[in-house]
Amino acid sequence: MPPRPAVLTKRTLDKDLDKITHAEDVAKHVLRRLVAPGLGLIFVGLAMLFAGVYVFDRPGAMLVVAAAALAGYMAMNIGANDVTNNVGAAVGARAMTMGQALVIAAIFEVLGATVAGGEVVKTISANIVDAVQVSPVLLGWIMMAALMAAALWINLATWMNAPVSTTHAIVGAVIGAGISAVGPEPVNWQVMLEITSSWITSPLIGGLIAAGLLYLVKTLIIYRDDKVAAAQRWVPVLVALMAGCFMAYMVLQLSPPGRFPPLTVLLIGIGIGLVSWLAARPLVLAQARALENRNSSLRTLFRLPLIGSAALLSFAHGANDVSNAVGPLSAIVHSVGIGGGGIGHPPLWVMLIGAFGISVGLLLFGPRLIRLVGEEITKLNPMRAYCVALSTAFTVIVASWLGLPVSTTHIAVGSVFGVGFFREWYTRHSKRRIAYIRRKAESFDIDEPEEPNIHETRRRYLVRRSHFMTIVAAWIVTVPVSAALAAMIYWVMFALFV
């Protein structure tokens, strides 16, 4: 008896169609995850092409093109890992969306790197390993190994959602590759001591400044009976402070050394601050007209200065952290005799690779770490986030002006911890806050106090201690890991190519 022909029922057809649809969804999901790496690979290729246009007819061109690829890869990792420093507080406080924050950060990262990033590049490219004691060819290979090691470690840390310091990574990698190549003698230990001391002090300074700013905000605005009126008076002052300090820094950064005496720079900063105050007053007054006397109204009034401080922080981050990518590339460029002005003066095309690489990394991979700094260490509202962003920006700007490659990550996190620990202290010991809560309770007009139950507040921790230990551990591990990895990569490179 012949077999019966298969009958295609509607149920069988539906199952087959469901399988095809499921397979298409899986394929789309896989392809979507490959879009960002694919675009990153395209940027690395463009960086190589961009470098090749400038060096194609010069000796050592292949080494420079390869170094440009590594610098572009390193810059993208910096953008991916350090984006939390720039916009984490603003996004955590819900002052801007993720998309708005990334666009603002990308624009000001490029501006900061290209306009004010040259001073710190000198430290990375020429001052950690003494270029006078090392031959140009050997210095080029040291920097190649350092770039590859630092980029790999930061990439791994980003994949593990660990906000490590990109500055620690590149400095440790330069030291490790330098010692493996020529021993400890050419390492400038005096410069290393200065850099290390800045790593320790800068998070503490950032935390203290952030805590001081929050104290002023609480005293002058939050715990006043008429909050909106106090905010109308003081928010323009905070905007003026931010604008005046930033302009004073720009004058110092862009003018030749010694051209303007300190008093002139101070007067320029005061003048710009006064103009900013006059411009901010009507904007704040217009925002405050329809607002009630509530804490939630302050979030609206602090949105403008918070966005401004996030932009300022992105500029400062670009000025400081671009050196981590293009400092070694600048040393390699000069080691093969390309570019003028000495080893500490990178050509413009070198700076552009680092600047745009950081922005590409921000846009493609940045959101992975943003919630740790913005939401998980301590609860941020726009007032606290403004203190964090402004404190971090000021600390990074001063360090960049002095030529110190500080860790933007640890300054930002130090500022967040400073705000959190200050809140713990303030809620337990502030007589003004306790009197404010009791006054509101007695008048039966409690206006959203942060914590009505004073005794319960005394027992609460407002900072997650586990994150503190994790970040300190990452800080300690990064330098030795990147140094050991750079030493191994240098030995492999030396065995294969030298």
Side-chain angles (χ1 to χ4, degrees), residues 166-185:
T166 59
T167 307
H168 291 192
I170 192 63
V171 171
V174 171
I175 293 174
I179 292 176
S180 67
V182 291
E185 291 79 13

Side-chain angles (χ1 to χ4, degrees), residues 39-326:
L39 292 175
L41 189 60
I42 291 173
F43 173 77
V44 171
L46 291 175
M48 297 174 67
L49 182 62
F50 190 51
V53 170
Y54 286 91
V55 302
F56 72 96
D57 59 344
R58 307 293 293 274
M62 292 301 296
L63 181 64
V64 173
V65 170
L70 288 177
Y73 174 51
M74 174 69 173
M76 284 194 298
N77 280 290
I78 292 172
N81 198 279
D82 277 7
V83 67
T84 54
N85 312 325
N86 307 347
V87 296
V91 174
R94 294 175 176 82
M96 6 178 199
T97 65
M98 181 74 74
Q100 292 170 341
L102 291 176
V103 170
I104 290 174
I107 293 172
F108 282 89
E109 285 280 351
V110 173
L111 291 175
T114 53
V115 172
E119 189 66 31
V120 182
V121 173
K122 300 176 186 177
T123 303
I124 296 292
S125 61
N127 294 346
I128 296 176
V129 174
D130 191 354
V132 177
Q133 301 184 46
V134 180
S135 67
V137 174
L138 197 58
L139 182 63
W141 287 107
I142 289 173
M143 293 299 175
M144 283 283 287
L147 266 177
M148 184 176 293
L152 289 174
W153 168 244
I154 298 167
N155 199 163
L156 178 62
T158 304
W159 179 72
M160 295 187 301
N161 288 333
V164 299
S165 167
T166 59
T167 307
H168 291 192
I170 192 63
V171 171
V174 171
I175 293 174
I179 292 176
S180 67
V182 291
E185 291 79 13
V187 176
N188 194 330
W189 296 109
Q190 178 65 32
V191 172
M192 274 305 305
L193 181 62
E194 295 175 1
I195 295 173
T196 304
S197 64
S198 71
W199 287 346
I200 297 172
T201 57
S202 57
L204 297 176
I205 293 172
L208 289 173
I209 293 175
L213 288 171
L214 184 59
Y215 174 77
L216 291 177
V217 169
K218 284 180 176 291
T219 302
L220 299 175
I221 301 175
I222 295 177
Y223 291 121
R224 294 287 180 177
D225 290 332
D226 193 341
K227 305 172 190 293
V228 175
Q232 289 175 340
R233 185 182 307 115
W234 288 107
V235 168
V237 174
L238 293 174
V239 173
L241 175 65
M242 177 176 60
C245 291
F246 180 64
M247 183 52 64
Y249 162 75
M250 289 298 295
V251 171
L252 289 170
Q253 189 70 36
L254 300 179
S255 61
R259 181 173 180 178
F260 295 104
L263 181 60
T264 302
V265 176
L266 179 62
L267 291 176
I268 292 173
I270 293 174
I272 296 299
L274 181 60
V275 172
S276 302
W277 177 76
L278 292 173
R281 269 184 64 83
L283 295 176
V284 174
L285 290 174
Q287 281 185 313
R289 282 190 188 126
L291 297 179
E292 299 179 8
N293 187 31
R294 303 166 62 88
N295 282 348
S296 57
S297 300
L298 299 180
R299 300 187 180 99
T300 302
L301 295 178
F302 266 86
R303 186 166 297 155
L304 175 63
L306 179 55
I307 293 173
S309 63
L312 174 58
L313 179 54
S314 296
F315 185 97
H317 178 264
N320 191 276
D321 280 26
V322 70
S323 62
N324 301 338
V326 304

Side-chain angles (χ1 to χ4, degrees), residues 219 221-227 431-447 449 454:
T219 302
I221 301 175
I222 295 177
Y223 291 121
R224 294 287 180 177
D225 290 332
D226 193 341
K227 305 172 190 293
K431 295 179 180 179
R432 178 186 294 274
R433 179 183 181 277
I434 295 172
Y436 170 85
I437 294 174
R438 286 175 175 163
R439 189 166 63 251
K440 286 293 182 182
E442 290 171 0
S443 63
F444 300 99
D445 186 26
I446 298 176
D447 188 18
I454 298 172

Side-chain angles (χ1 to χ4, degrees), residues 262-495:
L263 181 60
T264 302
V265 176
L266 179 62
L267 291 176
I268 292 173
I270 293 174
I272 296 299
L274 181 60
V275 172
S276 302
W277 177 76
L278 292 173
R281 269 184 64 83
L283 295 176
V284 174
L285 290 174
Q287 281 185 313
R289 282 190 188 126
L291 297 179
E292 299 179 8
N293 187 31
R294 303 166 62 88
N295 282 348
S296 57
S297 300
L298 299 180
R299 300 187 180 99
T300 302
L301 295 178
F302 266 86
R303 186 166 297 155
L304 175 63
L306 179 55
I307 293 173
S309 63
L312 174 58
L313 179 54
S314 296
F315 185 97
H317 178 264
N320 191 276
D321 280 26
V322 70
S323 62
N324 301 338
V326 304
L329 176 59
S330 177
I332 294 168
V333 167
H334 287 284
S335 72
V336 298
I338 302 172
I343 191 172
H345 298 81
L348 178 60
W349 65 268
V350 170
M351 298 297 296
L352 289 176
I353 289 176
F356 283 99
I358 290 176
S359 294
V360 170
L362 284 176
L363 297 173
L364 294 181
F365 308 105
R368 286 179 61 92
L369 295 177
I370 205 164
R371 288 182 176 83
L372 177 63
V373 172
E375 299 176 5
E376 295 181 11
I377 293 176
T378 190
K379 185 178 179 181
L380 293 177
N381 59 24
M383 291 81 80
R384 299 170 200 148
Y386 173 78
C387 297
V388 169
L390 188 58
S391 170
T392 307
F394 283 167
T395 308
V396 173
I397 281 174
V398 172
S400 182
W401 173 42
L402 297 175
L404 294 175
V406 296
S407 167
T408 314
T409 301
H410 289 103
I411 295 174
V413 174
S415 298
V416 174
F417 277 118
V419 164
F421 286 127
F422 172 77
R423 287 180 63 214
E424 288 187 1
W425 177 87
Y426 195 83
T427 53
R428 295 173 186 173
H429 300 95
S430 173
K431 295 179 180 179
R432 178 186 294 274
R433 179 183 181 277
I434 295 172
Y436 170 85
I437 294 174
R438 286 175 175 163
R439 189 166 63 251
K440 286 293 182 182
E442 290 171 0
S443 63
F444 300 99
D445 186 26
I446 298 176
D447 188 18
E448 296 184 14
E450 292 184 26
E451 180 60 64
N453 191 333
I454 298 172
H455 300 291
E456 178 65 23
T457 301
R458 290 179 184 274
R459 295 194 295 267
R460 284 186 61 195
Y461 286 121
L462 302 178
V463 178
R464 294 187 180 179
R465 267 57 175 176
S466 60
H467 288 314
F468 179 79
M469 298 306 299
T470 300
I471 291 169
V472 170
W475 187 3
I476 295 172
V477 167
T478 293
V479 172
V481 168
S482 59
L485 186 59
M488 290 188 290
I489 290 174
Y490 174 80
W491 288 328
V492 172
M493 286 184 172
F494 187 84

